Amino acid sequence: MTLKLDKVNRGPHLSTLVASSISREIVQGRLKPGDQLPTEQQLAQTFGVSRNVVREAIARLRSEGRIWSQQGRGAFVADQPNATVLTIDFEALQQANAFQSLFELRGILEVEAAALAAKRRTRDDLLAMKDVLATMHAAPYGSVMWLKTDLEFHKTVAAATGNAYMVQFLMFVSERVRESILASGNQQRSEDLAVVTLGEHQRILDAIEAGDGAEAREAMRDHLHGAASRVGLGAEQSE
Amino acid sequence: MTLKLDKVNRGPHLSTLVASSISREIVQGRLKPGDQLPTEQQLAQTFGVSRNVVREAIARLRSEGRIWSQQGRGAFVADQPNATVLTIDFEALQQANAFQSLFELRGILEVEAAALAAKRRTRDDLLAMKDVLATMHAAPYGSVMWLKTDLEFHKTVAAATGNAYMVQFLMFVSERVRESILASGNQQRSEDLAVVTLGEHQRILDAIEAGDGAEAREAMRDHLHGAASRVGLGAEQSE
DNA sequence: GAAACCAGTGTTGTATGATAACCATGTAAG
DNA sequence: CTTACATGGTTATCATACAACACTGGTTTC
């Protein structure tokens, strides 16, 4: 197996950057529904890209329903419809800070889920967790099976909260995070790390079994912190 | 490979038509996962449009996760029908425990968002929060304006975390919660409650302004607890 | 005075050509 | 067999031009 060292995150397309930049303006409220966007010329100049790139970005935002545009008039921020679906743009995630944001969100949910799980876990939940952990022991580190069971463990923890939406959201976010990690390809592989990871999982499980919410929270926090550094995201995570 | 790609009829946006045309090829199986799309030149010629239009269409499909492209190689049909969307069934929410679960999830996000906001808020964030709070003072309790600004306040708090996904998720969840509350129609209305709510908001704002994460967390927790009882969900919330 | 008409200007939509960055492949040199 | 280089093809981006459409203001017409 050859090492892929210098697979530096080749930045996503310029249009993606422009799109998420405009999108941020809308989400954070600096551009309100009904507001008119700057002209394509101005946007191109502002971002320092060609008008073509701006158009690709706008085409995307238009397809997402965030803005609408009319020939001869301009582009406007759409009234945010009661979006009944939540989407995460895969490409936008290639940006480091976007990935970091999603990772942070995942962390919050995981940590609190662990705490809730410690309070509410049933006997069946514990059995499921132990079962997954055993399977994980048998799988080679970094293999598809290993990654799958890793995700499965976190799922059982979330399930132990008894909150179905917790499972749904957490799995959704985790899947996106996992995809992004796989895409970037900068995973470290080592048998030592396998032992570390398994140990962290065990600590979480113990805390949940003991019903110690605070300890479960801490254990999960440490685990995620460790996982972050394992995928080369160590330094930025700070408190 | 002989693909059946009809020439496009002049409609709203050419890029839209091209995108849906390619999309149809994928859905109907004439383009399978892993297949390479024709080059942009060929597509432009096939559809009778400029390469620019083709690129806008591809940009859309790429953001939707249907295809993926790499400079120097080409564009390919994505192998996963990526479940990149998350949905919440409105009807299922009518069940009390489902609603409660979603409320709990929202609570976790709100509380942690408040803590993060206290650490990271900028001057602009504070101004936005104060602005919203002032608007809320002027709105009659329970009115549409009131509910809107209430949501807006929480949004500005989320925005102050600097985490775009936090905003996206929280707003998504909050919208569903709000819908459900409106549907159930069991809101209590009283001017006294208005004062209470505003006071709670003020306390959150103060904590965030002071940069006190722990206090912000507590203030938000209390606020949500109060809000829960105001919509007849008081007793169940426990820690 | 008011309505219809009309030209001018600005914006988006589309077309076209060119250049840079990148990948895959073949071929010659070692 | 391996390495280096040359070559052609593709995407990514830039730049420019023109067409289609909307808005504005003045002019004409009734």
Side-chain angles (χ1 to χ4, degrees):
Chain A
M1 188 69 195
T2 62
L3 296 174
K4 327 174 158 184
L5 297 176
D6 58 344
K7 206 56 181 177
V8 171
N9 278 353
R10 190 179 20 253
H13 300 149
L14 286 180
S15 59
T16 304
L17 297 176
V18 172
S20 45
S21 189
I22 296 176
S23 199
R24 183 155 19 98
E25 297 294 312
I26 296 176
V27 169
Q28 299 194 347
R30 281 189 289 278
L31 278 173
K32 293 168 190 165
D35 282 357
Q36 180 166 10
L37 271 71
T39 70
E40 295 178 351
Q41 283 280 8
Q42 291 172 324
L43 286 174
Q45 202 163 357
T46 303
F47 289 111
V49 299
S50 76
R51 204 187 131 208
N52 227 316
V53 170
V54 171
R55 282 195 57 78
E56 284 185 19
I58 287 183
R60 286 182 40 167
L61 295 173
R62 202 170 36 217
S63 80
E64 294 172 8
R66 296 196 121 95
I67 68 174
W68 60 275
S69 63
Q70 189 179 356
Q71 183 173 140
R73 286 186 61 189
F76 303 82
V77 179
D79 296 329
Q80 299 303 1
N82 287 344
T84 56
V85 299
L86 187 147
T87 71
I88 286 188
D89 192 312
F90 178 76
E91 264 198 299
L93 259 188
Q94 304 313 96
Q95 297 167 261
N97 64 343
F99 175 76
Q100 202 176 326
S101 290
L102 194 65
F103 200 90
E104 178 177 79
L105 182 62
R106 177 197 170 198
I108 289 172
L109 291 174
E110 294 267 19
V111 167
E112 296 304 316
L116 285 176
K119 296 289 180 195
R120 303 180 186 161
R121 87 286 183 285
T122 66
R123 201 180 337 273
D124 284 348
D125 290 328
L126 288 174
L127 287 178
M129 283 188 243
K130 288 176 181 174
D131 195 39
V132 172
L133 215 52
T135 309
M136 207 162 170
H137 261 289
Y141 182 73
S143 67
V144 173
M145 192 60 190
W146 202 86
L147 292 174
K148 202 172 168 186
T149 42
D150 184 22
L151 203 65
E152 191 69 17
F153 176 77
H154 287 270
K155 186 174 183 176
T156 55
V157 171
T161 65
N163 186 325
Y165 292 113
M166 179 67 82
V167 180
Q168 196 179 351
F169 270 66
L170 208 33
M171 284 303 103
F172 181 70
V173 173
S174 296
E175 264 297 327
R176 298 295 150 293
V177 169
R178 193 179 64 88
E179 276 176 11
S180 200
I181 290 175
L182 287 179
S184 72
N186 55 356
Q187 277 203 109
Q188 304 174 30
R189 302 198 169 191
S190 136
E191 288 302 325
D192 293 343
L193 292 182
V195 176
V196 172
T197 301
L198 285 171
E200 289 172 355
H201 280 184
Q202 187 64 50
R203 183 182 161 205
I204 295 168
L205 174 54
D206 290 344
I208 291 176
E209 183 162 19
D212 187 342
E215 165 64 7
R217 204 191 309 264
E218 274 310 305
M220 181 62 86
R221 204 194 307 277
D222 288 350
H223 171 49
L224 291 176
H225 194 269
S229 62
R230 262 167 254 143
V231 296
L233 201 75
E236 292 93 335
Q237 291 288 93
S238 64
E239 178 71 15
Chain B
M1 84 165 69
T2 62
L3 295 176
K4 263 192 81 172
L5 300 176
D6 301 321
K7 282 216 171 186
V8 137
N9 293 334
R10 296 272 162 172
H13 281 126
L14 287 182
S15 60
T16 304
L17 299 177
V18 172
S20 47
S21 189
I22 295 176
S23 204
R24 185 161 11 107
E25 297 296 317
I26 296 176
V27 170
Q28 298 188 350
R30 282 190 289 276
L31 280 173
K32 292 167 194 164
D35 281 358
Q36 180 167 9
L37 272 70
T39 71
E40 296 179 350
Q41 282 283 5
Q42 290 172 326
L43 286 173
Q45 202 163 358
T46 304
F47 288 114
V49 299
S50 77
R51 205 186 131 215
N52 227 318
V53 170
V54 171
R55 282 195 58 77
E56 286 184 18
I58 288 183
R60 282 182 45 164
L61 296 173
R62 204 169 37 216
S63 79
E64 292 172 9
R66 300 196 105 99
I67 70 175
W68 125 90
S69 66
Q70 189 178 358
Q71 182 174 130
R73 286 187 60 190
F76 303 83
V77 179
D79 40 350
Q80 291 182 358
N82 279 340
T84 56
V85 300
L86 186 147
T87 69
I88 287 188
D89 189 74
F90 179 77
E91 288 194 80
L93 256 187
Q94 302 316 99
Q95 297 165 339
N97 65 342
F99 176 76
Q100 199 178 329
S101 289
L102 196 63
F103 200 90
E104 178 176 78
L105 182 63
R106 176 197 172 199
I108 289 172
L109 291 174
E110 293 267 17
V111 167
E112 296 305 315
L116 285 177
K119 297 289 180 194
R120 302 182 185 159
R121 86 287 185 284
T122 66
R123 200 178 342 268
D124 283 350
D125 292 326
L126 288 174
L127 286 177
M129 286 187 239
K130 288 177 181 175
D131 195 39
V132 172
L133 215 52
T135 309
M136 205 164 171
H137 261 288
Y141 182 73
S143 67
V144 173
M145 191 61 186
W146 168 274
L147 292 175
K148 202 171 168 187
T149 42
D150 184 21
L151 202 66
E152 189 70 17
F153 177 76
H154 287 269
K155 184 174 182 178
T156 54
V157 171
T161 65
N163 188 328
Y165 292 114
M166 179 68 81
V167 180
Q168 197 180 349
F169 270 68
L170 208 34
M171 283 304 101
F172 182 69
V173 174
S174 297
E175 264 296 327
R176 301 281 103 40
V177 170
R178 193 178 65 88
E179 276 175 11
S180 201
I181 291 176
L182 287 178
S184 72
N186 56 355
Q187 276 201 113
Q188 304 174 29
R189 302 200 172 191
S190 139
E191 288 303 324
D192 293 344
L193 293 183
V195 176
V196 171
T197 302
L198 285 171
E200 290 172 354
H201 279 185
Q202 187 65 51
R203 184 181 160 208
I204 294 168
L205 174 54
D206 289 344
I208 291 177
E209 183 163 20
D212 188 342
E215 164 66 7
R217 203 190 311 262
E218 274 310 305
M220 180 62 86
R221 204 194 307 275
D222 289 349
H223 171 51
L224 291 176
H225 193 269
S229 61
R230 262 167 253 145
V231 296
L233 201 76
E236 292 91 337
Q237 290 287 96
S238 65
E239 177 71 14

